[in-house]
Amino acid sequence: MSKDGLSEEADVVVVGGGPGGSTLATLIAMRGHNVVLLEKEKFPRYQIGESLLPSTVHGICRLTGVADQLAKAGFTKKRGGTMRWGANPEPWTFSFSVSPRITSETSHAYQVERSKFDQILLDHARHTGVDVREEHAVADVIEEDGRISGVTYTGAGGNAGTIRAKYVVDASGNGSRIYRKAGATRQYSEFFRSLALFGYFEGGKRLPEPNSGNILCAAFDSGWFWYIPLSPTLTSVGAVVRRELADKIQGDPEEALSALIAECPMITEYLKDATRVTEGQYGQLRVRKDYSYANTKFWRPGMALIGDAACFVDPIFSSGVHLATYGALLAARSINSVLSGTVDEDAAFREFEERYRSEYGAFYEFLVSFYDMHVNENSYFWSAKKVTDSTSTDLESFVSLVGGVSSGESNLATAETLTKRYKSKSSEFAEAVDQLAESKEQSILPLMRSSVVKRAMEQGAKEQVRLQLGADAGPETPFFEGGLISSPDGLSWSRPA
């Protein structure tokens, strides 16, 4: 294939080499298609989003063939989560158990250093046959006759190039320069616009076994902390505050983070003997806008959006890599189906968008319930998060976009019915948490009595079960009336029998 400075051709161009991009490229290359992946940076590179869910590890990564490499990489095993959250003053813990049919060996995920995790996935894409080009920045897309038909880029040496392709997939993150070319605009949640200040510490305390690898989330007056054990000694620590409290993270970041840690007794205790990392990729204190959003369109002829280029939701439930890789799986199935001529483009990408929006909506609905159950009326942060006390048209229009419209739930048509629904869900979830806090089994099963948790876990669990059990998982049913099902190998769509 020709290189920089010339016009080339490919079946698919993937923009971005993170988990979403490398996963999608691998799944399409596995069908023998010609895939070029353009990544603007040189790997390994730093990235946030370090806590995974089991469906990524044992479902999608099993399908791409990289799961065994992840198992050998020495990442911290994450068996669940521990929360200082809600009305109960004591922390409560859940462990993953997505299905009675999944063994305990697959009821875990990993806490990962993303520079290492992303490198493994990108190298695996190369090994699968993807033409991976690092330090290649996409400048624009090519549009012809109402269809996206390729990209222009600048290579590592500064040379310009053009690649024409049947499909372009934007997996370049929230800083994407081309997502608007899908005809999309970002619609932000009015309620979930937060800022995160985070850094890394050596020597922090660990939870008691067998939960030492759990993510710890601790609420405090100004927001909440994540505490992620990346190794026996290294911990990712971040404070999330509402945008109206941005003054708490302005000025000297060291002083700001220290002040926020002092507000949260649990994190203070866990870091009392720790020292902050001040060198290397983890030496910098960073600020990130954690604004939840979804695009009005996820695809147009010749182009699809996945990962943060398509949508982002508050990271409390570690959904970032899951949504990116799940979106990659859905888009890869659609592209593979169209390229093979087995499904028409409109049907294939309707399947992609309906399923992807529903998954995003599931985590958004979980987010509403999770935030709304926290009891601290004296805190500005938490009173502002009482979403179900609001009848804002912003909430109505946003959730209609990601939930009601895409799933056909007409009962979400008004703000009044929406807030009633969320109020009921929040109450249901809070009761499930209370039951879990009092339970000795500490599995996720008590939480599964709550519909918002069940919905958030459902699709990922189904993929995990199907890939583990194959034909023994039983027949698959369409996601919506007239919809498609996955092919036996999981790489494309097919019509139900």
Side-chain angles (χ1 to χ4, degrees):
M1 180 180 291
S2 301
K3 292 290 184 180
D4 294 357
L6 300 176
S7 180
E8 312 170 47
E9 293 186 358
D11 291 321
V12 179
V13 173
V14 180
V15 184
S22 58
T23 295
L24 178 135
T26 299
L27 293 169
I28 295 175
M30 287 170 67
R31 277 290 180 88
H33 300 302
N34 180 0
V35 185
V36 178
L37 187 154
L38 304 177
E39 165 55 48
K40 68 179 181 179
E41 296 188 47
K42 176 67 177 176
F43 278 36
R45 55 88 177 96
Y46 173 81
Q47 186 58 274
I48 193 63
E50 299 146 328
S51 196
L52 307 186
L53 294 180
S55 57
T56 299
V57 176
H58 305 292
I60 294 169
C61 289
R62 180 65 58 189
L63 180 60
T64 62
V66 77
D68 288 342
Q69 292 180 54
L70 297 179
K72 296 174 183 177
F75 294 127
T76 298
K77 276 192 176 182
K78 170 188 173 183
R79 302 188 184 279
T82 297
M83 310 286 178
R84 167 62 282 279
W85 203 282
N88 193 320
E90 295 301 318
W92 48 274
T93 296
F94 68 87
S95 58
F96 291 122
S97 180
V98 296
S99 167
R101 303 163 79 179
I102 293 293
T103 68
S104 60
E105 286 303 307
T106 57
S107 293
H108 69 268
Y110 298 118
Q111 315 284 20
V112 298
E113 294 184 64
R114 282 288 301 274
S115 57
K116 298 177 181 178
F117 175 75
D118 291 11
Q119 182 79 68
I120 291 172
L121 266 58
L122 191 66
D123 287 345
H124 182 69
R126 279 194 182 94
H127 180 75
T128 309
V130 177
D131 181 358
V132 174
R133 305 183 195 175
E134 298 175 64
E135 298 180 285
H136 280 60
V138 169
D140 206 349
V141 299
I142 302 168
E143 182 176 357
E144 297 172 325
D145 300 322
R147 185 179 187 89
I148 301 300
S149 57
V151 301
T152 59
Y153 67 88
T154 302
N159 297 323
T162 298
I163 306 177
R164 295 187 177 273
K166 299 179 178 71
Y167 283 98
V168 173
V169 179
D170 184 7
S172 60
N174 63 357
S176 166
R177 300 170 60 184
I178 61 172
Y179 77 90
R180 291 185 180 88
K181 297 302 177 76
T185 57
R186 283 185 181 172
Q187 189 165 2
Y188 287 87
S189 166
E190 180 64 25
F191 296 93
F192 300 110
R193 298 195 184 192
S194 299
L195 300 169
L197 171 63
F198 53 96
Y200 295 80
F201 291 79
E202 279 284 345
K205 181 179 174 180
R206 292 291 178 260
L207 290 161
E209 293 293 353
N211 300 318
S212 63
N214 280 11
I215 183 172
L216 171 63
C217 296
F220 65 111
D221 281 353
S222 296
W224 63 273
F225 269 97
W226 76 67
Y227 189 94
I228 302 174
L230 298 177
S231 78
T233 61
L234 180 66
T235 309
S236 171
V237 181
V240 178
V241 301
R242 188 169 171 82
R243 61 177 174 172
E244 286 84 354
L245 302 180
D247 61 315
K248 286 184 173 285
I249 63 173
Q250 291 174 348
D252 180 76
E254 195 82 51
E255 293 179 2
L257 185 57
S258 294
L260 288 166
I261 289 170
E263 285 189 45
C264 185
M266 190 170 191
I267 299 301
T268 298
E269 178 193 351
Y270 273 65
L271 291 177
K272 66 180 181 180
D273 296 322
T275 56
R276 192 177 74 78
V277 178
T278 56
E279 296 180 350
Q281 66 171 326
Y282 298 130
Q284 177 185 346
L285 290 177
R286 294 175 167 92
V287 175
R288 170 169 172 162
K289 292 181 179 179
D290 282 336
Y291 287 12
S292 297
Y293 60 83
N295 284 329
T296 53
K297 294 178 66 176
F298 284 0
W299 78 282
R300 64 171 288 187
M303 185 176 185
L305 310 176
I306 64 171
D308 288 359
C311 54
F312 176 81
V313 70
D314 183 292
I316 186 64
F317 200 54
S318 308
S319 57
V321 174
H322 165 71
L323 286 172
T325 55
Y326 182 67
L329 172 63
L330 299 176
R333 285 173 174 171
S334 298
I335 292 171
N336 283 337
S337 300
V338 177
L339 293 181
S340 67
T342 56
V343 179
D344 67 90
E345 185 175 67
D346 284 345
F349 280 92
R350 181 191 176 195
E351 195 73 33
F352 158 72
E353 181 142 355
E354 292 259 354
R355 288 181 184 247
Y356 201 9
R357 284 198 185 282
S358 180
E359 190 74 349
Y360 180 86
F363 280 92
Y364 185 86
E365 189 172 20
F366 171 86
L367 180 66
V368 169
S369 295
F370 199 78
Y371 272 104
D372 201 59
M373 67 170 279
H374 188 71
V375 179
N376 190 343
E377 301 298 340
N378 295 323
S379 165
Y380 176 80
F381 181 89
W382 294 105
S383 62
K385 293 292 191 183
K386 289 291 181 181
V387 180
T388 55
D389 291 339
S390 171
T391 56
S392 166
T393 56
D394 291 325
L395 176 64
E396 177 185 4
S397 61
F398 182 78
V399 181
S400 292
L401 170 68
V402 301
V405 171
S406 66
S407 62
E409 296 182 22
S410 59
N411 65 325
L412 293 183
T414 68
E416 182 180 1
T417 56
L418 177 63
T419 52
K420 285 182 179 178
R421 171 188 170 95
Y422 274 176
K423 198 69 172 177
S424 172
K425 299 289 186 182
S426 298
S427 175
E428 177 192 43
F429 179 69
E431 290 176 3
V433 169
D434 287 343
Q435 292 174 7
L436 177 62
E438 297 170 359
S439 171
K440 293 182 179 180
E441 61 183 17
Q442 290 198 336
S443 75
I444 205 169
L445 297 179
L447 288 185
M448 291 297 281
R449 300 187 185 104
S450 167
S451 59
V452 293
V453 177
K454 182 177 181 181
R455 186 180 171 212
M457 298 290 289
E458 188 173 33
Q459 291 306 314
K462 283 182 178 179
E463 294 292 348
Q464 186 177 341
V465 169
R466 192 158 298 282
L467 288 165
Q468 291 290 323
L469 301 180
D472 292 338
E476 184 180 355
T477 57
F479 185 72
F480 55 87
E481 186 174 353
L484 308 171
I485 60 174
S486 60
S487 60
D489 66 0
L491 299 181
S492 60
W493 301 118
S494 61
R495 301 284 181 184

